[in-house]
Amino acid sequence: LDAHLVSHTDKALLIAFTAWVDAKLATATAYYTWIDKPRFTAHTRKAYGQAFPAPLSYIIPWLWRSRALKRFAGESSDQSQSESRIRAGARDAYAALSSLLSDNGGTYFFGVKPTSLDAAAFAHLSYHALSPVGDALRLELKSFPNLVKYVEAMRTVTFPNEHGHGGTCTLYTSHAAYDLTPSLQRAS
């Protein structure tokens, strides 16, 4: 994916931004999927558990959560402080990715061809935009319209429907789906 990057500057930026995505967005994804108990109980346990027969459908997701809790154990004993730090990190990553996307003016973070950064960033951005556990980060993500457009474009390319379209980026909520397009029109 990265063979078309020839300048040392682009290669260095790719490494730095990929590390940033891993440090900030992957941490936020893991936190809201596994650590945040209400989201884990309401969504994660059920989604991951349905792949297994009872009683494993209950036990295995809790074992995975236990592993995640151990990973986050050194972070902070105060969960609200930890959560605000994680949200701030995600917001910083969104801002940095938004700037990179704007600066390069292409469809992808480094112009007209995707890179490994596009793969990693799209995975987390789409999860934050579309999953039920991503609700905590969704308002922040909506404040970066070019990232929302990026997720829409990547969905179209990566997961086209039978008509060749990925549709608009519709945010998941437990009550209804909210289309991000109106916020994009206001921001334009």
Side-chain angles (χ1 to χ4, degrees), residues 12-126:
L13 283 171
L14 176 77
I15 292 168
F17 273 93
T18 302
W20 190 255
V21 165
D22 189 46
K24 302 301 180 181
L25 296 186
T27 298
T29 298
Y31 180 85
Y32 288 110
T33 303
W34 298 104
I35 305 303
D36 185 84
K37 192 170 184 179
R39 287 178 180 85
F40 172 81
T41 304
H43 305 292
T44 306
R45 192 195 62 74
K46 292 175 187 172
Y48 283 83
Q50 67 184 338
F52 303 100
L56 294 177
S57 62
Y58 185 79
I59 296 168
I60 290 178
W62 282 99
L63 289 173
W64 290 340
R65 181 174 192 269
S66 164
R67 278 192 198 161
L69 285 167
K70 286 178 186 171
R71 178 179 159 231
F72 278 85
E75 299 287 326
S76 174
S77 59
D78 180 6
Q79 187 166 347
S80 64
Q81 182 183 36
S82 188
E83 183 175 2
S84 65
R85 186 184 49 74
I86 287 168
R87 278 188 193 210
R91 183 175 41 253
D92 292 346
Y94 294 158
L97 289 170
S98 176
S99 292
L100 181 64
L101 196 58
S102 295
D103 291 348
N104 286 319
T107 305
Y108 304 103
F109 289 112
F110 286 94
V112 295
K113 289 186 176 179
T115 63
S116 56
L117 174 62
D118 290 284
F122 173 66
H124 293 290
L125 293 172
S126 62

Side-chain angles (χ1 to χ4, degrees), residues 122-134:
F122 173 66
H124 293 290
L125 293 172
S126 62
Y127 190 77
H128 297 175
L130 301 169
S131 74
V133 297

